[in-house]
Amino acid sequence: MSLAAFDLVAIWTVILGLAVFLYVLLDGFDLGVGILFGLAPDTPSRNVIMDSIAPIWDGNETWLVMGSIGLLTAFPLAFAIIIPAVYFPILLMLIALVFRGVAFEFRYRDAERRGFWDYGFHWGSIVATFAQGVVLGAFIQGFEVDGRHFVGGSFDCFTPFSLLTGLSLVFGYALLGAGWLVLKTEGEVQAGARRQGRLALLGVLAGIGAVSLWTPLMNAEIARRWFDWPNIALLSPVPIVSGLIALFTWRAFQGRHDAAPFAGGVALFLMSYLGIAISLFPMIVPGHYTLWQAAASPDTQLFLLVGTLVLLPVILLYTAWSYWVFRGKVTADMGYH
């Protein structure tokens, strides 16, 4: 069977989309836990919050590596344009993630300066999240491109729109983090997470509303895609379902079910992800190149796919296994170190 029988670009789009969503979901909730960590009232509460993510937090970043390598190798033209356009927020994100990881370990080893490391973990989580949101906003806005090169400035990615998406993602990850803490903790920590989850949800809804109004106003193609007839009728379930999920999530944080708030947060992220895909597909460099135009050669994609199809099930398996092993509630007597 020839290579023409397979749409390798479609396969790589699914793989890359899966990697990005799993990173946003999995590292999103542990960054969200870090954001809420700074609001904990005392050291015992902070220890429980930290222990809720201790066994799995660093493994979640596997998906960031996989998504980055997938973009570099399967869509090299997109990588060559997008990455120079967002060097600074990516650099900021990486520094924050490294400092956050150091703070995570040092707060247990350096008791005299535990307060400093606690602030480091909290602010590292916020900065990393905000930087990711800026990258997302810059990507949605598009880049200044001449031929096959980014020709804009290093700070063009910092716009009012990208700052809004950065702030919205901080609320979004806080929502996921609150859902995770409701799922994994009990008592006062869980009660605090329920309160914080409702506040984060309000911030998320404000962010989704603002981005949803702003995006079609700055891009006529996106406006046409959502509001021309019959698209408006066909796509109307997206905002309606999102609204129902938001209502479910709000009630879940008020209720007694421990898994429902996290499930609601995940569903809300899934709908937002779907909305972005509807707005931009099939563009991978918005306004300039489609997925097919930016893809590597079929031989390269096939070569990479063979290795990925071996590696991907292994990653999924050990990720699922680690979550299964460390399932259940975290209590104060279950120290990580």
Side-chain angles (χ1 to χ4, degrees):
M1 187 176 290
S2 68
L3 288 180
F6 299 95
D7 190 344
L8 293 171
V9 174
I11 295 172
W12 272 107
T13 300
V14 171
I15 292 174
L16 193 60
L18 177 68
V20 171
F21 182 73
L22 285 177
Y23 172 73
V24 169
L25 172 62
L26 299 179
D27 209 33
F29 80 71
D30 81 52
L31 283 167
V33 166
I35 292 168
L36 299 178
F37 174 83
L39 305 178
D42 50 43
T43 296
S45 298
R46 285 192 285 274
N47 290 341
V48 170
I49 290 172
M50 199 68 98
D51 288 345
S52 75
I53 59 170
I56 41 86
W57 73 277
D58 46 358
N60 292 338
E61 291 169 6
T62 302
W63 298 103
L64 176 62
V65 176
M66 183 158 185
S68 302
I69 293 176
L71 181 65
L72 168 65
T73 54
F75 302 98
L77 177 58
F79 186 91
I81 293 172
I82 294 172
I83 298 303
V86 291
Y87 270 147
F88 277 101
I90 287 181
L91 179 64
L92 198 62
M93 177 192 73
L94 294 177
I95 292 173
L97 288 176
V98 169
F99 187 68
R100 177 178 182 265
V102 171
F104 188 98
E105 296 295 337
F106 272 54
R107 74 176 299 273
Y108 290 101
R109 311 292 183 188
D110 185 11
E112 291 184 2
R113 284 171 284 275
R114 178 169 292 174
F116 170 77
W117 297 118
D118 283 353
Y119 278 117
F121 183 71
H122 171 61
W123 283 103
S125 301
I126 292 176
V127 171
T129 302
F130 183 77
Q132 290 179 19
V134 169
V135 172
L136 173 64
F139 176 74
I140 294 173
Q141 275 194 307
F143 308 108
E144 193 173 341
V145 177
D146 184 11
R148 297 168 67 88
H149 303 282
F150 170 68
V151 293
S154 299
F155 296 99
D156 288 358
C157 57
F158 294 99
T159 65
F161 180 78
S162 67
L163 297 179
L164 170 66
T165 53
L167 181 62
S168 301
L169 197 62
V170 171
F171 281 109
Y173 282 1
L175 175 67
L176 290 176
W180 181 256
L181 290 176
V182 170
L183 179 66
K184 295 293 290 183
T185 65
E186 298 173 305
E188 286 300 315
V189 174
Q190 187 191 63
R194 288 187 183 278
R195 292 192 297 272
Q196 293 155 2
R198 291 195 294 273
L199 293 175
L201 178 59
L202 293 176
V204 169
L205 294 178
I208 290 175
V211 170
S212 299
L213 291 174
W214 198 331
T215 306
L217 288 175
M218 70 180 180
N219 188 313
E221 170 58 24
I222 293 177
R224 184 199 62 75
R225 189 169 294 193
W226 281 93
F227 299 116
D228 277 7
W229 184 262
N231 296 3
I232 189 171
L234 295 173
L235 297 177
S236 60
V238 176
I240 294 172
V241 171
S242 299
L244 292 175
I245 291 172
L247 178 61
F248 166 82
T249 307
W250 177 269
R251 298 185 66 174
F253 274 113
Q254 289 181 312
R256 304 179 68 176
H257 294 289
D258 291 351
F262 187 65
V266 171
L268 207 52
F269 262 77
L270 186 60
M271 294 306 296
S272 299
Y273 200 65
L274 176 63
I276 293 172
I278 291 171
S279 295
L280 299 181
F281 185 83
M283 308 303 295
I284 192 169
V285 181
H288 297 280
Y289 291 104
T290 67
L291 289 155
W292 283 263
Q293 291 170 332
S297 69
D299 287 341
T300 301
Q301 291 180 66
L302 185 62
F303 176 77
L304 295 167
L305 186 62
V306 172
T308 302
L309 291 180
V310 174
L311 188 62
L312 188 59
V314 175
I315 298 174
L316 289 170
L317 188 62
Y318 80 63
T319 301
W321 178 252
S322 63
Y323 278 84
W324 172 256
V325 169
F326 294 103
R327 67 189 183 281
K329 295 288 185 181
V330 174
T331 57
D333 59 342
M334 294 173 60
Y336 170 59
H337 288 80

